[in-house]
Amino acid sequence: MFSYAFAATASTILSGAVAGRMKFFTYVYISAFVSGFVYPVVAHWAFSEDGWLVSSMDQVQSYSILLICHP
């Protein structure tokens, strides 16, 4: 459930960035893409034990996770 909250947050960050700048259905499509594909892939890279981002950045893991949670 915790990851779903961050996926929803990624969608709300997107809504604040594009508010009034794109059509509603375009926003729904992009929001579904970010929440359904982009965030889960990046979260797997960062938070999974076999993710490449975790294995390649062991010394700076706290900084890399901070950048993923708060772009």
Side-chain angles (χ1 to χ4, degrees):
M1 292 301 281
F2 189 69
S3 292
Y4 293 129
F6 276 109
T9 302
S11 177
T12 60
I13 291 171
L14 178 67
S15 71
V18 300
R21 296 187 182 122
M22 68 172 49
K23 295 185 180 193
F24 178 71
F25 291 111
T26 306
Y27 163 72
V28 169
Y29 176 74
I30 292 175
S31 179
F33 178 70
V34 167
S35 296
F37 181 72
V38 173
Y39 181 80
V41 170
V42 174
H44 174 74
W45 290 343
F47 299 119
S48 175
E49 292 178 3
D50 59 341
W52 69 270
L53 192 56
V54 171
S55 63
S56 66
M57 295 186 170
D58 287 334
Q59 291 133 359
V60 293
Q61 183 177 2
S62 61
Y63 294 116
S64 64
I65 290 175
L66 176 71
L67 291 174
I68 288 169
C69 293
H70 304 285

